[in-house]
């Protein structure tokens, strides 16, 4: 069954025709391979960036790619491409659907230079825009256009940018957040720093400790799953790295001001 949440953000067609504009942004947790399969050859004109959080998806252009955590695909439609959920798998992702002649031109340039597949942590700007949409925050077309430009420019920068220790750490956390044994020492080692130095640098650059960042990521993921799927809350808590369900409920309420059940009822 399709389990996702989509937010239509704008419909200013005149503005979008000559610029970059986000039409909708969403989060998906797909489990039914029979239903989640798209052939882009006959679809309407749009551009799509879809970033894998967990699970496994398939994308086909010149060849077939298997997309796992930290991998994304970018596509213009219509085009001779397709994407689908792998049989027997799940696929969790964020996506942004956008339009505009300039947006389409940038995607064509990116495809020519870098191809359809990108790797790295889910862009914080994508997460933040989705979170603001779920909270009902009004986002005007100028803000959305600016954010889309930023997402596309970051894709251009891609390989030319050498990740900093903190960027390496956040990517590692996003890929391994569901491991209940994940510790700051492991994250620091991946970043190439001592735990003490790493914690200090991480706090200076992000405004929070590595552990707080990890917990916030887990809780954000729990909220998305509670809103977008029918999975039991206890199962969700285990899937994001909490071994103790009571502890998860307590931390969730402390950080969000709501119980998991209330968040689900409000979807």
């Amino acid at each position: 069954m399709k389990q996702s949440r989509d937010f239509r953000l704008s419909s200013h067609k005149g503005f979008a025709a000559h610029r970059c504009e986000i039409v909708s942004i969403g989060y998906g947790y797909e489990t039914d391979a029979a239903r989640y399969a798209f052939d882009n050859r006959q679809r309407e004109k749009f551009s799509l960036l879809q970033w894998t959080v967990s699970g496994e998806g398939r994308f086909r252009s010149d060849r077939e790619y298997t997309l796992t955590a930290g991998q994304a695909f970018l596509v213009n439609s219509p085009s001779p491409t397709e994407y689908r959920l792998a049989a027997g798998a799940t696929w969790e992702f964020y996506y942004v659907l956008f339009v505009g002649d300039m947006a389409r031109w940038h995607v064509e340039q990116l495809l020519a230079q870098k191809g359809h597949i990108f790797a790295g942590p889910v862009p914080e700007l994508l997460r933040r825009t989705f979170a603001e949409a779920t909270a009902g925050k009004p986002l005007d077309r100028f803000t959305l256009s600016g954010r889309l430009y930023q997402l596309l420019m970051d894709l251009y920068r891609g390989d030319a940018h050498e990740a900093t220790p903190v960027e390496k750490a956040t990517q590692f956390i996003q890929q391994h957040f569901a491991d209940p044994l994940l510790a700051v020492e492991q994250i620091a080692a991946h970043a190439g720093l001592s735990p003490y130095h790493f914690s200090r640098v991480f706090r200076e650059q992000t405004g929070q400790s590595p552990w707080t960042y990890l917990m916030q990521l887990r809780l954000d993921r729990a909220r998305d799953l509670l809103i977008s799927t029918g999975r039991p809350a206890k199962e969700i808590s285990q899937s994001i790295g909490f071994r103790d369900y009571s502890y998860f409920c307590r931390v969730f309420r402390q950080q969000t001001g709501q119980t998991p059940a209330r968040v689900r009822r409000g979807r």
Side-chain angles (χ1 to χ4, degrees):
M1 181 174 66
K2 179 180 176 67
Q3 297 181 324
S4 63
R5 195 165 189 188
D6 174 275
F7 292 87
R8 292 279 163 177
L9 296 178
S10 183
S11 60
H12 299 273
K13 295 181 179 179
F15 182 86
H18 303 291
R19 291 174 170 78
C20 294
E21 187 170 16
I22 296 175
V23 174
S24 64
I25 191 165
Y27 166 89
Y29 183 85
E30 300 296 339
T31 60
D32 189 342
R35 290 176 177 270
Y36 195 76
F38 297 92
D39 185 333
N40 291 320
R41 286 173 291 188
Q42 303 298 322
R43 303 184 78 188
E44 62 186 73
K45 191 174 181 179
F46 64 82
S47 301
L48 173 68
L49 175 64
Q50 184 160 307
W51 219 291
T52 304
V53 174
S54 68
E56 180 180 304
R58 302 289 172 83
F59 179 85
R60 176 176 287 278
S61 54
D62 55 325
R63 65 184 181 87
E64 184 161 286
Y65 300 86
T66 298
L67 302 177
T68 56
Q71 293 182 302
F73 73 81
L74 177 69
V75 67
N76 272 335
S77 291
S79 65
T81 58
E82 60 184 70
Y83 59 99
R84 59 186 172 83
L85 174 65
T90 61
W91 195 5
E92 182 186 10
F93 51 82
Y94 289 96
Y95 64 91
V96 59
L97 185 72
F98 52 101
V99 296
D101 293 344
M102 187 58 70
R104 195 170 187 84
W105 182 86
H106 279 300
V107 172
E108 289 172 354
Q109 297 302 306
L110 283 162
L111 296 180
Q113 294 177 29
K114 298 176 178 293
H116 287 278
I117 308 303
F118 294 81
V122 178
E124 197 60 38
L125 188 60
L126 180 54
R127 291 181 183 277
R128 177 156 55 90
T129 304
F130 176 76
E132 290 172 350
T134 63
K137 181 177 179 179
L139 297 168
D140 62 54
R141 66 184 191 271
F142 304 107
T143 298
L144 294 172
S145 181
R147 291 189 180 185
L148 180 56
Y149 268 116
Q150 184 62 60
L151 286 170
L152 294 173
M153 293 309 107
D154 286 346
L155 292 180
Y156 275 116
R157 185 173 67 163
D159 298 337
H161 171 68
E162 183 176 355
T164 66
V166 169
E167 288 171 338
K168 291 179 181 177
T170 55
Q171 181 174 355
F172 185 76
I173 292 171
Q174 288 190 22
Q175 291 174 338
H176 300 279
F177 73 92
D179 180 358
L181 300 179
L182 183 62
V184 172
E185 289 76 12
Q186 292 174 268
I187 304 169
H190 183 79
L193 300 174
S194 70
Y196 174 77
H197 183 51
F198 166 68
S199 294
R200 182 173 62 80
V201 171
F202 193 96
R203 185 182 290 276
E204 287 175 352
Q205 295 188 20
T206 68
Q208 57 188 332
S209 70
W211 185 251
T212 300
Y213 180 91
L214 170 61
M215 294 299 290
Q216 189 60 57
L217 180 62
R218 286 173 171 169
L219 294 174
D220 287 346
R221 191 64 45 75
R223 181 174 179 274
D224 291 344
L225 290 167
L226 287 165
I227 291 172
S228 303
T229 79
R231 296 171 66 186
K234 186 173 184 179
E235 178 185 312
I236 289 173
S237 72
Q238 293 171 343
S239 74
I240 60 171
F242 286 89
R243 289 183 290 185
D244 186 321
Y245 180 61
S246 297
Y247 176 63
F248 162 72
C249 291
R250 185 165 66 252
V251 172
F252 189 91
R253 185 165 188 171
Q254 288 173 349
Q255 296 299 315
T256 68
Q258 296 179 300
T259 64
R262 184 171 181 181
V263 168
R264 168 156 282 166
R265 286 196 301 271
R267 65 175 175 168

